[in-house]
Amino acid sequence: MEGYARHVKASLSPDQALEMQAVDALAARLLAHIASTADEIATLHVHNAKSKAIQDHFAVLLREELGFGEEVVLTPQTGLVTQARPDFFFTLAEQRGIIAEVERGGTITNNHDLKDLWKAHVAADAHHLFLIVPHNNWREDGRPRERPFLTVSRRLGAFFGDERREIDVLSVHVFAY
């Protein structure tokens, strides 16, 4: 089952293309982590499990191995009443970074994917979004009740590929667990 979608602005400057190499390398590490810990993730991602358990699982890689900060308050936006505090944040350069959000039950039912994209869009110091979402969310009887990865990949992909639709986010990477 495919579990990764990458969306990037249609045109990149040479500096942005170089930055994308670093972002893609971090994305590859996250993909490898998901693949190597799939059995552990499956034991955590069950009906009525706590979202924090999933976030803590990914914190091992993101915070401890890759150097993402956790629950970092981003630079406040002039004119916006927001103090964005993503699950994780990685600084690439001054005022350049990656927001990483781990979602579970409310990914599409509460539009958390779109809220996370908005957070990346309005953050002065973030230009990339890593969004970690379930392949499936489960019913009590073990059947899937929704498939967030496919929906999120399609919805967020609509903001890329055509300069008229593009927003102020250089790339979005959607990972399925």
Side-chain angles (χ1 to χ4, degrees), residues 5-170:
R6 177 183 182 269
H7 306 289
V8 181
K9 280 196 168 219
S11 307
L12 300 177
S13 71
D15 286 342
Q16 290 171 331
L18 190 58
E19 184 175 281
M20 281 306 308
Q21 291 177 6
V23 172
D24 287 339
L26 291 167
R29 292 279 307 273
L30 181 52
L31 277 170
H33 175 79
I34 292 168
S36 69
T37 63
D39 291 341
E40 182 181 342
I41 293 169
T43 65
L44 297 171
H45 180 56
V46 294
H47 181 71
N48 279 339
K50 299 291 182 200
S51 297
K52 182 81 169 107
I54 300 292
Q55 183 173 330
D56 289 347
H57 170 82
F58 286 104
V60 171
L61 173 76
L62 294 171
R63 185 185 67 234
E64 297 175 19
E65 293 181 33
L66 299 180
F68 278 71
E70 193 167 6
E71 306 286 339
V72 174
V73 176
L74 301 179
T75 305
Q77 296 296 297
T78 305
L80 294 174
V81 182
T82 181
Q83 292 252 333
R85 188 177 44 87
D87 294 338
F88 301 95
F89 183 77
F90 185 86
T91 301
L92 292 161
E94 187 175 335
Q95 294 218 310
R96 305 288 302 177
I98 304 167
I99 288 175
E101 294 283 358
V102 180
E103 299 297 349
R104 197 167 164 285
T107 306
I108 52 179
T109 55
N110 293 329
N111 294 314
H112 288 177
D113 60 332
L114 297 174
K115 292 173 189 174
D116 293 336
L117 182 63
W118 171 252
K119 192 182 301 182
H121 172 68
V122 300
D125 36 10
H127 293 83
H128 306 273
L129 173 63
F130 283 7
L131 190 54
I132 306 165
V133 303
H135 271 292
N136 299 302
N137 280 325
W138 308 107
R139 298 174 196 261
E140 191 170 358
D141 66 6
R143 292 180 300 137
R145 69 173 170 85
E146 62 185 6
R147 302 183 193 290
F149 175 72
L150 296 173
T151 301
V152 169
S153 299
R154 186 188 75 250
R155 289 195 328 183
L156 298 189
F159 294 96
F160 294 88
D162 179 337
E163 291 183 13
R164 186 189 69 74
R165 293 189 319 254
E166 290 183 335
I167 59 173
D168 188 28
V169 175
L170 191 61

